[in-house]
Amino acid sequence: MKVDASKVVRIFNEMADFLSIKGENPFRVRAYQKAADALEHLSGDLEALYHQGKLQNIAGIGKGMLEKIETILEIGKLPAYEELKKEVPESLRELLFIPEMGPKTVKVLYEKGNVKNIEDLEKFVQSHKLRNLPGMGAKTEENILRGINLYRSSKGRILLGKALPLAKRVITELKSSVSPDIERISPAGSLRRGKETIGDIDILVSSSNSSPIMDAFTYLSFVEEVLAKGKTKSSILTYDGLQIDLRVVSPDSFGAALQYFTGSKSHNINLRERAIRKGLKINEYGVFTQKGEKLAGRNEEDVHASLSLPLIPPELREDRGEIEAGEKGEIPELLKEEGIKGDLHIHTKASDGANSIEELIGRAKQKGYEYIAITDHSTSLKIAGGLSEDRLLQQINHEEGINSRLKGFKVFAGSEVDIRKDGSLDYPDEVLKKLDIVIAAVHTSLKQDKKTMTDRVIKALCNPFVRIFAHPTGRLLGEREAYSIDLDKVLQVAQEKNIWIEINAQPQRLDLADLWIKEAKKRSIKLVINTDAHHLSNLDFMPFGVITARRGWLEKEDVVNALSLSEFLTSLSL
Ligand code: DGT
Ligand code: CA
Ligand code: CA
C-alpha cells in the first residue's frame, strides 16, 4: 500500500515528542522535527520523489532521516517508533499541547507526580501539589488550568488553513480516479462556510453510481482508518486525526443536499421555518409543496429561489440576519479573492522573515498585485530581529531605489511598529513620518488587564502616523486566547482617526474575527487584509483572510487593499 507523506510526518512528530519527554539529546529531537516540517511542505508525491532520488536534496532531511523514511516506505512502519510507543505512555504527548507544559515539566510530573494524562494534570494542579516543584507557583497553576480549558475547547477542531488544502486534495484525487461517476463535487459543512476552525470535513458528491466513489474514497493514500462505509455516506480518519465525511446523493437532489449539509444548523432551522410559513416543506432532497410536488432540488440556487430568496453565499449562513437580508434584496456583493490588489504586512530577512524584498515582489506580481508594503519589526523586538533606526532608514533608501526601477508596481516603505507597554511607539515620530505605512501592533506584556491594554492601544492609535492596527486581539487559535481588550472602544477610536483594522490572514490568527469585522463595517471603518508573511509561501494565506472578510459581510469597498494602486495612493493621502 502507498505511504503518504502525512503518515511519515506524524511518526516523526511523535518521535520528537516522545524523545523530548524522555530527555534525549535536543539535536536528535530537532532532527525529527525538521524532517517532519520539510515533509509537510513537500511539493510532490513522497514515493515518487524518493524513487527519483530527490529527497536527499531537501533541506531538513539528512542521511539518518532518509534511511528512516526508506524503512517506512518499505515495511510501512518504523521499528524505533513502535519501541518508543511502548516505553512512553501515549497520553503524555497530549500534555505537551497545553501551553506552559514543556517536555521537562512533563517528565518531572510523570516521574515525581505520576501525572499520565490531562485529567491527572488537572487534579495535580487543583490540589496545589504543583507548587511544591521548583519554579512553580500560583501563577503557573492559573496558566496551566487556563491552558487545559483552551485545549479542551479547541480539541478535535483544526484550522481552516489545514482543512481547506486537504479537502481540495480529496476532491482532486477522487476526480482523477473516478471522474466518470462524479457529476458534481463540493465541500459542505463549516468548511464551505469558511469557519476559522473545522470539526470535520464534509464533502458532497452528485452521482448515480456511488460504489466506485466510496471505494476510491476509503482507499485514499492518507486514510488511517475507515470509520464507516455505506452507499450514501462514508467516513474516514486521516493520519493527522481528521475526520472526513463523504456523502453521495442523486443529481436531482444535489442542490438541496448541499444546502442542508452546508448548514449552519441554525441557518437551516430558520430556512425551514420560512418554508413552513410559505406552506412548503424543505429537506435534503428538495423543496416540496403540501401535496408532495417537488419545486426544486437539483441546484442550490433553485432551492433558495423557491423560497423567494437570492442565492445566499455560504459564508453568510450563520443565522446572523442573512435570510432577512435576502428577503429585502440586501445580500452584499461579497469581496472576491481576485479583488485583492496588494498585501500591506510583510516581513523580509531584514527582521524575522526568510526572503528578500525582490523575491517578495516577484511573487506578488505573479498574484496580480499592484503593490506591497514591507513591514519588518521595530527596534525593541529583538527576538524578531527588529530593525534599528539606521537599518530602517537604509531599508527605506533601498525601497526607493527599487521603486525607481519598477513600472506599474510599488513597494511601500513600512514598519510593524511595536506598541510598547505604556502605549508609546517603538520609533520616534521623526522616523515614523518617513514611512508610507505604519502598522501598530502589540507583541509584549500580553497579560495586562483590560483597561491598561485598551488605553495602551488607544494611545498608540492616536499617533498621527499610525495607519493600521494589526492582529487586533493577538489570539492564536487553539494556542493562546485573545488578550483582554475593549474592542468596542478601540473601534470607536479607529473610526474617529481613520485607522484601518487588519484582518490577519494567518490561519492561526484570522484576527479580527468575523463578528467584529461585521461590527467594524457597520461603523464604516475600513479593513485591510494582510498575510503577515514571513516567507514567500505565506503570501498564499490571503484567501483565508478573504473568506474571513466574507464571513464579516465585507464588500470590495470596505477593504483598503482591494483598491487599485492609483486609488490606494489617493486614499493614503487622505
Ligand atoms: P463542524 O464540523 O463542527 O465544524 O460544523 P459543521 O457545520 O460542518 O457540522 P457537521 O459536520 O456536524 O454537519 C454538517 C452540516 O449538516 C451542518 O452544518 C448542518 C447539517 N446538519 C447536521 N446535523 C443537522 C441537524 O440535526 N439539523 C439540521 N437542520 N442540520 C444538520
Ligand atoms: Ca463538518
Ligand atoms: Ca460531518
Side-chain angles (χ1 to χ4, degrees), residues 188-191 198-202:
S190 53
L191 182 68
I198 308 295
D200 66 3
I201 295 182
D202 300 284

Side-chain angles (χ1 to χ4, degrees), residues 214-504:
M214 292 309 190
D215 286 344
F217 176 63
T218 50
Y219 276 97
L220 289 170
S221 59
F222 40 83
V223 174
E224 176 170 38
E225 195 186 333
V226 176
L227 300 172
K229 187 177 174 193
K231 251 178 92 74
T232 56
K233 184 185 170 191
S234 297
S235 298
I236 59 149
L237 207 59
T238 69
Y239 285 111
D240 18 47
L242 198 64
Q243 184 177 327
I244 309 181
D245 292 345
L246 183 85
R247 293 183 178 83
V248 179
V249 301
S250 76
D252 63 342
S253 57
F254 182 74
L258 191 56
Q259 155 61 47
Y260 183 85
F261 292 112
T262 294
S264 64
K265 211 165 166 171
S266 47
H267 168 88
N268 286 357
I269 291 171
N270 266 354
L271 204 64
R272 187 161 54 231
E273 280 169 4
R274 181 176 175 83
I276 292 169
R277 280 199 305 275
K278 290 182 164 295
L280 301 170
K281 203 180 112 189
I282 180 171
N283 56 31
E284 64 262 54
Y285 302 103
V287 181
F288 303 88
T289 62
Q290 298 285 7
K291 290 187 187 139
E293 187 197 348
K294 187 165 172 172
L295 299 179
R298 180 173 280 272
N299 297 307
E300 209 176 40
E301 206 156 359
D302 306 340
V303 170
H304 286 183
S306 70
L307 300 172
S308 317
L309 293 170
L311 181 70
I312 298 173
E315 293 92 337
L316 301 188
R317 302 184 197 168
E318 296 290 350
D319 188 18
R320 293 175 185 165
E322 67 278 9
I323 293 177
E324 295 73 7
E327 197 162 69
K328 293 191 220 144
E330 288 172 3
I331 294 286
E333 178 72 40
L334 297 181
L335 172 77
K336 295 190 179 66
E337 230 176 282
E338 314 84 80
I340 296 294
K341 296 292 171 229
D343 191 337
L344 299 176
H345 185 168
I346 297 178
H347 297 271
T348 72
K349 58 185 178 189
S351 66
D352 57 349
N355 299 94
S356 68
I357 300 180
E358 289 80 356
E359 287 168 320
L360 289 155
I361 292 174
R363 186 74 159 242
K365 280 183 165 175
Q366 280 172 15
K367 291 185 173 295
Y369 292 171
E370 297 172 13
Y371 51 91
I372 57 173
I374 296 300
T375 56
D376 279 311
H377 289 290
S378 60
T379 319
S380 66
L381 267 195
K382 297 261 186 311
I383 43 160
L387 272 59
S388 64
E389 286 178 31
D390 278 349
R391 288 184 65 215
L392 178 64
L393 296 177
Q394 277 171 31
Q395 192 181 53
I396 297 174
N397 274 336
H398 181 53
E399 284 155 355
E400 277 171 11
I402 294 177
N403 278 324
S404 67
R405 296 188 293 274
L406 284 172
K407 274 204 197 82
F409 190 96
K410 191 170 160 73
V411 184
F412 290 102
S415 173
E416 181 181 12
V417 185
D418 190 46
I419 301 176
R420 294 182 191 141
K421 221 169 143 174
D422 63 355
S424 63
L425 291 168
D426 203 23
Y427 288 124
D429 284 0
E430 306 88 79
V431 173
L432 295 180
K433 76 174 176 214
K434 297 198 166 82
L435 294 164
D436 304 313
I437 306 274
V438 173
I439 300 180
V442 170
H443 298 100
T444 53
S445 304
L446 304 180
K447 294 195 172 134
Q448 285 178 332
D449 64 71
K450 192 165 183 170
K451 183 167 185 324
T452 312
M453 182 63 91
T454 307
D455 291 348
R456 168 187 181 184
V457 166
I458 289 176
K459 181 174 168 194
L461 300 190
C462 287
N463 178 299
F465 299 105
V466 171
R467 274 287 172 180
I468 298 176
F469 180 39
H471 40 74
T473 76
R475 74 171 182 187
L476 293 177
L477 293 165
E479 202 176 301
R480 187 173 81 200
E481 278 170 9
Y483 38 73
S484 41
I485 186 165
D486 188 338
L487 275 180
D488 181 61
K489 277 197 180 142
V490 171
L491 290 188
Q492 221 169 302
V493 175
Q495 185 185 15
E496 283 161 22
K497 308 276 173 192
N498 189 23
I499 301 283
W500 307 333
I501 300 291
E502 180 178 79
I503 299 172
N504 190 295

